[in-house]
Amino acid sequence: MIQWPELIVFAVLFLAVSIMGFLAARWQRGSSLEHLDEWGLGGRKFGSWITWFLVGGDLYTAYTFVAVPALLFGAGAVGFYALPYTVVLYPLVFLPVLRLWSVSRVHGYVTPADFVRGRYGSPTLALIIAITGLVATMPYIALQLVGLEAVLRTMGLNASGIGGHLPLLIAFVILAVYTYQSGLRAPALIAFVKDILIYIVILVAVIYLPSTLGGWEAIFGKAAEKMAQVNPTTNAPNGSILLTANNQLQYITLALGSALALFLYPHSVTGILASRGRNVIKRNMMALPAYSLLLGLLALLGYVAIAAGVKPITNNATGRPDTNTIIPVLFDNQFGSVFAGIAFAAIGIGALVPAAIMSIAAANLWTRNIYKEYLKRDATPKQEAQQAKLASLVVKFGAVLFILLIDPQFSIDLQLIGGVIILQTLPAVAIALYTRWLHRWALVAGWAIGLGYGLYLLYLIPNPASGKLHFGGSALALDKLTVFGWHPFAGSTVQIYVGFVALVLNLVVAVIVTLALRAGKVAEGVDATQPSDYHADEGSAELKVIGMEDGVVVAKDA
């Protein structure tokens, strides 16, 4: 049954932010949006507050706010990995993102692949980085739809076939149109509303709900009881509110691997490059952990849902309970219609902000590193901007097809694969910010072997709960690891994050191949960057891209 009061509140707030999205084209507008710097990076002039909301809205997505508590609801303590992951993230990336911003501002780079192209003088390596970013980003956009659909389903708009997906399609058509018109300014402006709503909803929830359910002691007690119950499908306990001997290594490597991966995603880099200076980035690296506090409080709502007796809504398409609905159902059961509608709007809007940024980042990759590099090297800035706008539409509707044609659970598994995939770009992007010692062909070899082995390990992982024989998660028992047929951890049930294993292999191969190529004196590409480029400050903010020469971006003083 449709929950009309909640749906009306949701629709009013959704309409309001949609109008903001269209009006954003006039906000802080440059001379023209017919330039990739203006459309895809907001003119590179966002200040501290705008960047904080933009990057926060980009990293802490609707799926995050739905899936993290859902993971605690289903598996227990291992779901808390998201907390140390977002805590160690900012110290790890503080210096690298400053260097990336500086060199990108001097040379007019728009994407990570632009930087790789300039650093190594290798269009092949840049193409690999661009394609890797595109592949890793697509399922991430689709996952925003999973969060939005959980809200729509809770309000009674059950999705079953094309007709059932109509509200979702309408939402993404609106998103596509205002992103096409306003570019990065649209999600930057809407992020203010999204994050304010999220903060209000979560703070009210973590203060009010425990008082109605007997306090945190009672909540943790009921959670421990549920986790101790044996799952008839797996013949094992559902989980534990404490880490076990088997999942401690998984917890550590998943947190560290996720932290290393996050700012390798193109959409994360887009938020950084859109800021107007190094000081803006420094302030944000210090302030963004505030979102981690919010995430920790939000994660606890998974246990609150257990104590409240929440039952997830059954997905009509699969016939299985959809645990992604537990937070919407919790709000629906525990709060009045108006507040529940506001909460649903916060999650729904929270899907549109990162989806817009991700589609823009993917469009930038296509335009700069495939279209201009291989299809039309003499493209004008206007043609680049137009191509990016069209590409952003294709990316969005490609993500919609994931939901229409594929089981959403498969998209979730693909996101786990996405993390493994994007991690393989770390040597070529992050390490290259400090040294070119690794040879460009060694980086290609490391990427190929690390990616291939990572996908092979993911293939070996089943998911008994969903009946999947392959690609059922990202945690692998050490017993499955082999070295040329040798099983160094035979019989071990301790689990580890596949992405971490693949990255280590990637680095080992890159080092070995580099040593071999240097011994053979194989030529390296030309570095288009200078040491001083990595420390350029706001004084370089007036540089403007004027074109490309031999595939290298050329800039001049404005």
Side-chain angles (χ1 to χ4, degrees):
M1 186 175 70
I2 296 178
Q3 308 289 338
W4 285 107
E6 296 168 2
L7 182 58
I8 290 171
V9 173
F10 176 90
V12 169
L13 289 172
F14 193 92
L15 178 62
V17 299
S18 298
I19 293 172
M20 290 177 63
F22 286 108
L23 295 177
R26 302 175 180 273
W27 176 54
Q28 291 199 354
R29 185 170 182 170
S31 57
S32 171
L33 284 178
E34 298 299 328
H35 195 294
L36 205 55
D37 265 21
E38 288 292 335
W39 184 85
L41 291 179
R44 301 182 187 254
K45 55 188 178 185
F46 290 160
S48 297
W49 279 106
I50 299 173
T51 301
W52 189 72
F53 280 107
L54 177 67
V55 176
D58 187 15
L59 303 185
Y60 299 85
T61 67
Y63 180 70
T64 302
F65 289 112
V66 167
V68 172
L71 185 55
L72 267 82
F73 180 90
V78 70
F80 277 117
Y81 88 91
L83 201 54
Y85 143 43
T86 55
V87 168
V88 302
L89 166 67
Y90 300 106
L92 280 176
V93 304
F94 184 92
L95 294 178
V97 295
L98 289 176
R99 294 174 72 88
L100 181 60
W101 180 91
S102 292
V103 71
S104 297
R105 182 59 60 96
V106 170
H107 291 274
Y109 297 149
V110 175
T111 69
D114 276 351
F115 164 70
V116 172
R117 176 70 172 89
R119 183 65 156 154
Y120 288 98
S122 172
T124 302
L125 184 57
L127 178 64
I128 286 173
I129 299 303
I131 293 175
T132 304
L134 284 168
V135 172
T137 300
M138 281 295 292
Y140 219 148
I141 300 173
L143 282 180
Q144 307 315 309
L145 305 182
V146 173
L148 181 55
E149 274 213 315
V151 168
L152 296 175
R153 191 174 291 123
T154 304
M155 290 189 292
L157 300 174
N158 276 322
S160 54
I162 300 296
H165 286 285
L166 186 59
L168 184 68
L169 291 173
I170 293 173
F172 259 66
V173 166
I174 295 172
L175 167 68
V177 173
Y178 69 62
T179 304
Y180 182 94
Q181 175 180 312
S182 304
L184 193 64
R185 287 175 173 82
L189 188 57
I190 294 172
F192 281 87
V193 178
K194 171 252 182 183
D195 289 348
I196 290 171
L197 288 177
I198 287 287
Y199 267 96
I200 292 172
V201 169
I202 300 307
L203 291 175
V204 169
V206 298
I207 293 172
Y208 169 74
L209 292 179
S211 67
T212 65
L213 297 171
W216 287 108
E217 183 177 358
I219 290 171
F220 274 92
K222 291 182 179 180
E225 291 176 11
K226 177 183 181 293
M227 292 299 140
Q229 295 173 1
V230 176
N231 187 319
T233 305
T234 61
N235 293 319
N238 289 314
S240 172
I241 64 169
L242 298 175
L243 293 175
T244 65
N246 286 342
N247 62 21
Q248 289 175 3
L249 181 61
Q250 174 199 357
Y251 184 89
I252 294 169
T253 54
L254 184 55
L256 180 58
S258 299
L260 292 172
L262 189 56
F263 273 90
L264 294 171
Y265 278 103
H267 60 275
S268 303
V269 174
T270 296
I272 292 298
L273 298 187
S275 60
R276 71 179 176 217
R278 288 168 63 96
N279 287 336
V280 169
I281 298 172
K282 291 176 183 178
R283 295 186 196 105
N284 273 273
M285 290 300 106
M286 292 185 287
L288 280 168
Y291 281 96
S292 301
L293 172 62
L294 182 70
L295 184 61
L297 298 175
L298 177 73
L300 291 172
L301 294 183
Y303 288 164
V304 172
I306 294 174
V310 168
K311 302 295 183 184
I313 297 172
T314 300
N315 186 327
N316 292 340
T318 64
R320 297 194 302 268
D322 181 6
T323 56
N324 291 313
T325 60
I326 64 158
I327 293 304
V329 171
L330 175 66
F331 289 151
D332 188 40
N333 293 346
Q334 298 293 323
F335 292 109
S337 297
V338 174
F339 189 82
I342 293 172
F344 295 161
I347 297 174
I349 296 167
L352 300 187
V353 171
I357 302 170
M358 291 170 191
S359 66
I360 290 170
N364 290 343
L365 282 170
W366 160 260
T367 302
R368 292 299 290 266
N369 307 116
I370 300 176
Y371 172 73
K372 183 153 188 170
E373 182 75 48
Y374 292 96
L375 303 179
K376 192 173 178 61
R377 293 179 67 88
D378 60 346
T380 65
K382 183 176 181 179
Q383 289 172 327
E384 282 189 47
Q386 189 63 30
Q387 184 69 203
K389 291 178 180 181
L390 294 173
S392 74
L393 297 179
V394 174
V395 169
K396 289 185 188 72
F397 288 102
V400 171
L401 288 177
F402 269 96
I403 300 300
L404 294 179
L405 304 177
I406 300 175
D407 175 5
Q409 179 60 45
F410 185 63
S411 294
I412 295 169
D413 295 338
L414 277 180
Q415 195 276 330
L416 297 175
I417 298 171
V420 176
I421 291 172
I422 202 67
L423 261 177
Q424 307 317 309
T425 66
L426 184 143
V429 178
I431 293 178
L433 287 166
Y434 292 91
T435 177
R436 286 182 79 244
W437 185 82
L438 293 172
H439 196 282
R440 55 179 173 161
W441 293 114
L443 290 170
V444 173
W447 169 86
I449 293 175
L451 183 59
Y453 189 61
L455 292 176
Y456 166 71
L457 294 180
L458 288 168
Y459 178 81
L460 298 178
I461 302 174
N463 186 343
S466 63
K468 291 184 179 297
L469 297 177
H470 308 291
F471 298 109
S474 61
L476 183 79
L478 291 178
D479 177 60
K480 301 282 188 179
L481 295 179
T482 61
V483 181
F484 299 110
W486 172 49
H487 290 257
F489 306 103
S492 175
T493 57
V494 173
Q495 295 182 318
I496 190 169
Y497 175 49
V498 166
F500 189 82
V501 176
L503 177 61
V504 170
L505 179 61
N506 182 338
L507 290 169
V508 170
V509 170
V511 169
I512 292 174
V513 174
T514 295
L515 291 172
L517 291 174
R518 289 189 181 282
K521 297 183 179 180
V522 176
E524 300 183 49
V526 178
D527 184 4
T529 69
Q530 300 296 326
S532 60
D533 298 343
Y534 296 87
H535 304 283
D537 59 20
E538 289 81 347
S540 62
E542 297 303 317
L543 292 177
K544 288 189 176 180
V545 179
I546 59 173
M548 296 180 75
E549 291 180 3
D550 297 325
V552 178
V553 178
V554 178
K556 70 173 184 178
D557 289 331

